[in-house]
Amino acid sequence: MYEIMPELAAKKYLSRDDLHRTSLTGKRLLLPEVRLLGEHALFWNQDVAAVSAPKAWYMKSSAFAGCKTLTCAELPQVERAEDRAFEDCELLREIRLPCARSIGDHAFRRCSSLETVELPGVQLMGDDLFEGCYSLKTLSLPGLEQLGIALRKCPALKSVEFRSLRRIKPDAFSQCYDLEELVLHMPYVCQLDQEGFTEAGRITEGRGLIYVPAVLAAYYQGAPGWCRYAAQIRPIPADRQAPEAPPPFELLSKDIPEEPVPPCPLQIPAGFEQAPVLKRNDLKKPLPSPGLLLPNATMLAERALSDTDLTAFSGPSVRIVNARAFSNCGDLLHVRLPRAERLGSYAFEDCIQLRWLSLPQVRTIEDRAFDGCNSLRYLSLPAVERLGSYVFNECYSLKRLVLPSAGLLENALRGLEALEALELHSVKALTGNELHDCFFLRELILKMPYVCPLERGAFSGVNGITLGRAKILVPWQLLPDYRTAPGWRTYEAQIEAIPDENG
């Protein structure tokens, strides 16, 4: 039975200071509204026995590190856990993160009692995740595509299963001294780098077994890297066959979500009916209403509404939003700025609940304007021409982004790890590492009436494209040109016509 602490019942962001003021000895703690577990949120807590956060989707570094008494953590919606998330949780016996896609370095290091791990969707794993996990003997990673050194130094590990793995990098199983079984369910031969099985227990010694689909056994036995383990390669037994693979993902919806009704009534603050500028401290805290309407204001000054309990805002005449105007508005859900032309740096920084944002005329967005807007899932910026650096940094829920007018991306998308679909209409070229942090990109939609130049290394780090899983959608008239163009011909099999563009 979990217990809700009254002072934590409505918390959406859990910080270390929140728990220092609370007695938790022996408690099984329920955090019903928490979305974000902050850095060191329960760091070195010696009291809490179990935690359930059903709505949390992000864990900052060391969120549970050093929780010596923690035995169970229920986090069904967490998509990302940063470095050392559960490090030194010595009594933690099982962890289930069904929605996790990215796990940072050393996340479970020295969790010496850990026996059960479920990470069905994880695609990115940091270094030495399970170092010193002396009770962890079996592991299944069905969604992982590249294995680096995540499993290194997991001395008790005996059996590992994969269903999507495409590459095993050097030292992948180094110091896994008890490893005796590897099961590869993929319908293709996985790439094995030189020294992929260095210090990989009984497999390195020639006594372990490598199970592969029966139809691929002969191919594995003769493949580079694998041939030296030919005598150990066996068909997967019938009772361990993988279930039928799920169908390929469908294209993401291209329908723009309808604007929701504001979550609360919008009121004009007394004395601000004609005010042209809203300055910091013009409105006393707490605000007169959680929903504000400023009908004639044309500018929001720096920090005009920062650190307030604002829930919804409409500024039909606002043209300039200065730096940090809405920063740290933790309750902000809904914003309409139909005539805004410029957003200053950090304008919406750490608006962790912001879900709806209408900016149809914004042309310039400065650095980190949406930094930490963790709840944004879709964003269309039809008029934006200039984007600063790290504009969407740590927008960990932003799945689809439409930029019809942006000519250059440069560093604008750095830190945007969750992005799955990117639509571009005017970009002049894809260069350097502009998409480097977009690990999960699965749709790149290019609507330019020309073949967009592609520089070498432009897709570095974009696993979906480099591993052949993502689709590159282009106008049907340009389909042959893209498939034969320099740079693009490498991805010929992934390039398709934009649906409904060919009549």
Side-chain angles (χ1 to χ4, degrees):
M1 178 69 72
Y2 284 94
E3 182 176 349
I4 301 175
M5 304 296 293
E7 58 269 41
L8 302 177
K11 280 282 181 182
K12 295 180 174 63
Y13 177 91
L14 188 71
S15 69
R16 189 177 185 184
D17 292 340
D18 294 328
L19 294 176
H20 276 185
R21 299 188 292 269
T22 306
S23 176
L24 298 171
T25 304
K27 291 191 182 301
R28 296 174 60 85
L29 184 64
L30 175 62
L31 302 169
E33 297 298 326
V34 166
R35 270 66 167 180
L36 186 67
L37 295 162
E39 186 172 359
H40 298 121
L42 285 96
F43 182 71
W44 221 251
N45 186 289
Q46 306 298 301
D47 301 319
V48 67
V51 174
S52 176
K55 296 182 180 180
W57 52 265
Y58 191 85
M59 297 177 63
K60 291 279 192 178
S61 60
S62 302
F64 289 91
C67 292
K68 302 289 187 180
T69 56
L70 186 69
T71 60
C72 177
E74 296 185 11
L75 303 163
Q77 301 298 322
V78 164
E79 295 184 8
R80 176 182 166 90
E82 288 188 356
D83 299 350
R84 298 179 172 85
F86 293 93
E87 183 181 49
D88 290 316
C89 292
E90 297 176 351
L91 296 183
L92 185 66
R93 296 177 62 87
E94 62 181 53
I95 184 71
R96 291 180 170 86
L97 300 174
C99 294
R101 300 197 298 173
S102 175
I103 308 289
D105 298 345
H106 313 298
F108 307 104
R109 184 164 63 175
R110 293 190 294 270
C111 291
S112 53
S113 300
L114 190 62
E115 297 177 350
T116 303
V117 175
E118 290 186 10
L119 300 169
V122 72
Q123 296 176 30
L124 287 176
M125 299 175 71
D127 297 347
D128 302 329
L129 254 69
F130 302 102
E131 177 185 350
C133 292
Y134 296 109
S135 300
L136 185 62
K137 297 181 178 180
T138 62
L139 191 60
S140 178
L141 298 168
L144 191 67
E145 297 184 347
Q146 293 197 63
L147 181 62
I149 54 174
L151 305 185
R152 190 175 64 174
K153 301 179 184 178
C154 188
L157 192 63
K158 293 181 178 294
S159 176
V160 191
E161 294 196 23
F162 299 97
R163 285 171 163 75
S164 306
L165 195 64
R166 293 179 179 269
R167 181 182 178 188
I168 298 174
K169 295 184 177 181
D171 299 317
F173 298 98
S174 178
Q175 300 179 48
C176 293
Y177 299 119
D178 284 352
L179 187 65
E180 59 185 29
E181 182 180 88
L182 186 65
V183 187
L184 305 173
H185 292 279
M186 299 81 70
Y188 49 81
V189 176
C190 174
Q191 177 183 334
L192 176 63
D193 288 0
Q194 188 175 4
E195 300 181 355
F197 287 138
T198 299
E199 294 186 289
R202 295 175 187 174
I203 290 181
T204 304
E205 297 166 3
R207 297 185 294 127
L209 296 177
I210 302 168
Y211 291 108
V212 301
V215 296
L216 295 177
Y219 292 98
Y220 268 100
Q221 289 169 345
W226 294 103
C227 56
R228 65 184 297 184
Y229 306 100
Q232 299 163 248
I233 295 173
R234 302 279 195 279
I236 301 173
D239 60 346
R240 299 187 64 177
Q241 294 288 338
E244 184 177 350
F249 62 79
E250 296 181 359
L251 295 178
L252 297 176
S253 171
K254 292 174 173 52
D255 295 331
I256 298 175
E258 294 183 4
E259 180 175 358
V261 176
C264 60
L266 301 178
Q267 298 182 15
I268 302 174
F272 286 86
E273 294 84 353
Q274 303 298 324
V277 178
L278 184 69
K279 300 177 182 177
R280 189 179 185 185
N281 298 325
D282 276 354
L283 295 175
K284 303 299 181 183
K285 302 175 185 178
L287 296 176
S289 168
L292 292 184
L293 169 62
L294 297 178
N296 292 297
T298 58
M299 184 173 75
L300 300 179
E302 185 171 348
R303 294 185 181 274
L305 290 160
S306 64
D307 301 293
T308 62
D309 56 353
L310 186 66
T311 299
F313 179 84
S314 179
S317 302
V318 171
R319 294 187 180 275
I320 298 175
V321 179
N322 279 301
R324 303 182 191 274
F326 294 92
S327 68
N328 293 308
C329 289
D331 295 324
L332 187 61
L333 298 171
H334 186 284
V335 174
R336 288 189 76 253
L337 295 166
R339 294 187 180 180
E341 297 177 356
R342 176 179 168 272
L343 295 185
S345 58
Y346 298 94
F348 291 92
E349 176 194 25
D350 289 333
C351 293
I352 61 173
Q353 292 196 77
L354 183 61
R355 293 184 178 89
W356 179 263
L357 189 61
S358 177
L359 297 166
Q361 295 188 29
V362 164
R363 296 182 181 276
T364 299
I365 299 179
E366 297 186 1
D367 298 349
R368 298 180 184 265
F370 303 107
D371 195 323
C373 290
N374 298 319
S375 297
L376 272 178
R377 292 187 175 271
Y378 168 89
L379 189 58
S380 177
L381 299 168
V384 72
E385 297 173 354
R386 180 188 171 276
L387 289 160
S389 298
Y390 291 84
V391 170
F392 309 100
N393 186 54
E394 296 191 5
C395 290
Y396 292 120
S397 293
L398 186 55
K399 300 289 195 295
R400 183 166 184 258
L401 179 63
V402 182
L403 299 171
S405 302
L408 296 172
L409 297 178
E410 296 182 329
N411 292 315
L413 305 187
R414 297 306 297 266
L416 183 50
E417 298 181 6
L419 190 67
E420 294 184 4
L422 174 64
E423 184 172 319
L424 304 170
H425 297 199
S426 306
V427 74
K428 297 175 182 177
L430 292 176
T431 64
N433 293 320
E434 293 173 337
L435 304 177
H436 179 74
D437 293 339
C438 302
F439 306 118
F440 302 114
L441 191 69
R442 59 187 180 119
E443 277 183 40
L444 178 60
I445 306 162
L446 304 174
K447 291 194 172 184
M448 296 79 76
Y450 51 83
V451 175
C452 177
L454 180 67
E455 290 191 5
R456 185 176 181 180
F459 293 140
S460 174
V462 187
N463 288 355
I465 291 179
T466 58
L467 295 175
R469 297 180 64 250
K471 294 183 182 295
I472 301 169
L473 304 176
V474 302
W476 69 270
Q477 301 95 328
L478 297 176
L479 189 59
D481 297 329
Y482 266 101
R483 287 177 172 174
T484 57
W488 291 107
R489 65 169 64 98
T490 303
Y491 310 101
E492 177 183 358
Q494 297 162 251
I495 298 174
E496 300 180 7
I498 298 171
D500 300 325
E501 292 254 326
N502 56 5

